[in-house]
Amino acid sequence: MSSLLAKRKSASGPGHWGQTTHLLGTIAPGILWIVFFLVLPSFYLMSIAFMSNGPYGLPELPLTLQSFRELAGFGFLGWSPGNLYTLARSVWQTLIATVLVILIAYPLAYYISTQPASRRPLMLLIVVVPSWTNQVIRAFGWMNIMSPDAPLSDLAASAGLISSEMGLFPSNFAVVLGLVYNFLPFMVLPLYASFERLDGEIVQAAHDLYARPINVFRHSILPQTLPGLMAGTVLVSIPAFGMYVIPELLGGGKSMMVGNLVASQFAEASNWPLGAAAALIMILATLGGLMVLRRLGQRLGGGKEVVL
Amino acid sequence: MTNSETMQAEAAEAEAKRQTDKPPDPYAEVRRNATGGKPREASAISLRGVQKHFPGGVVALEHIDLEIEAGEFFTLLGPSGCGKTTLLRILAGLEDATGGAVAVGGQDILRTPAHRRSVNTVFQSYALFPHLNVRDNIGFGLRMRGVDRDECQRRVDETAKFIKISDLIDRDVAQLSGGQKQRVALARALINEPDLLLLDEPLSALDAGLRSQLQVELSQTQQRLGMTFVFVTHDQQEAMVMSDRIAVMNDGRIQQVGPPEDIYERPANLFVARFMGHTNLFPVERTGDGSLDTPLGSLTGCGDCIGSHVLIRPETIELLPPEEAGDNRFRARILDRLYRGAFAEYQLECGDTRIAAIVSNRGQRQYDPGEHVALTVDSSGLVFLDE
């Protein structure tokens, strides 16, 4: 946003102050909103993370790093890896779910884009419709489908994947499945937009210039769909990383993610500083993930900036 | 920047380059390298009964037979939907023929996938890879064939010099103008030294001035390389300026094949005549005494001509003062005169029939609208045609 402002300023010059103030006037409500409801609360949260835990779970002075120590597993009873497991599991499940979503959505979006224009809206609608229902209700649906005596669990048990008395839920598998199901539309839509604009002549040019099929994909299809792929990855992985409802319902106590850790510290455990510290770590991990994604996008896109 | 400014800038650029480096044929070395020291032989192309039927009964190509000579600039000319682009795509391997055979340099290529054919294409939209810069775009084909980086670099530089785009080599393709993109697309195809270069209306997106400049450049390039070019266009002027031979196509069939003069002066049928821009086409009927009845009047002196229509090319018509009567002279009234500099274009009315005439501005008397003239037809220049 600042670069946009700078551009406008340098383009307009000193004689065009009216334009700049006009622009400022237009974006001011947005900026105020962000300052009051994102920047200030974030600073507040950060400050809580460095406070000590009071007798009733509320933050108190003095400032301390105690919460971060606790988050790393150093408690009253010595070191335990529980929190670190939760963090690692969040990262791991997010990665698996995002990769699976890409693997499903990429061919699906391509397929929809090859259909006659009159049929595409309906197909996109079918992809999107599930997300019109509340997440909680859909999670309960999956709980039914994957409960111990349900057909899907029986099938898995007879295939020897799980023992017969335990269902597919609650488990890490159920959580990943829930994440994939939940976030699929967020990958399909931006990818579809990219595929719809795909320049077929560029693909043919790669064929024509001696590229084998794998190189045709690498050099003509992937770069053209990269913006959609990056947008979809951000839209899927970041909310998935902070997901609360799905691990809570489909993971039971077995498959907690960072979101659940934060929630439990603010609610049941009454340890606000620890919750704030976990939230802070979550935000930093998200930013780190975004930076990795950006690098990856630049590499795949031949050194060009891919707007996230 | 306006179009004319861009054109001037580009023309100046090209001129500056011409003066700084003028080796006789910088590409000769590229050619020798590609073939291990021997100058490259151009390849002849032979099409036998090539067909393309789309599912649903649509026929794009109906039994195409063509012989394209080695080193020839061959043009497929026709209106949109005539099958010329389909034929080009079959040559490129981007579309499968439903029947027939295509041989390049004596070898059948129809079963060879596009990426193994020594055939390259300059696409209508140029189709440059947007994530690669100019250098990597030009070198793409070599890299895909496993040419090592240094060799690739060297040949890209040579080709860029040959096409006169050395100064663009590190640019992003998004920063190029239409004419520059066209040159990069040409370099990207030429660097691979294909047996056959296909050009799919590569000039149609450019403005008129740049277009005629590139028409000249393109045919000069082809002559210097001696490579076989197959060019697709719907513009008959462009086809006539550039080609050694032209195949006029319509409805998936070839209507006529020949050098530009033949196609223009002796069209094989009414479609070709109309497509080449001829308007002076009149139905003829043979009368008992050997003369021909036309809407203009009776034509004599063309004994054994067969055909339902006659083409009177506008430049074969002579306009004389009205009092000069005689055979094949018809009284006509000038409707309009368009002054074109080197010549004047007349619209005349002869009875109820309209006819166009082109008269050189050198030593010819000019007439004004409303004047009457004796329109003189040279019977040796008449072309008789059928539907």
Side-chain angles (χ1 to χ4, degrees), chain B residues 265-282:
Chain B
E265 291 172 22
R266 288 176 290 282
N269 57 36
L270 276 178
F271 171 80
V272 177
R274 290 205 184 100
F275 195 76
M276 296 311 287
H278 292 303
T279 52
N280 293 347
L281 290 159
F282 307 106

Side-chain angles (χ1 to χ4, degrees), chain A residues 178-200:
Chain A
L179 290 175
V180 169
Y181 170 75
N182 191 63
F183 287 110
L184 191 66
F186 297 93
M187 184 67 83
V188 172
L189 291 182
L191 270 177
Y192 168 75
S194 282
F195 271 116
E196 207 187 20
R197 276 174 305 179
L198 190 86
D199 183 346

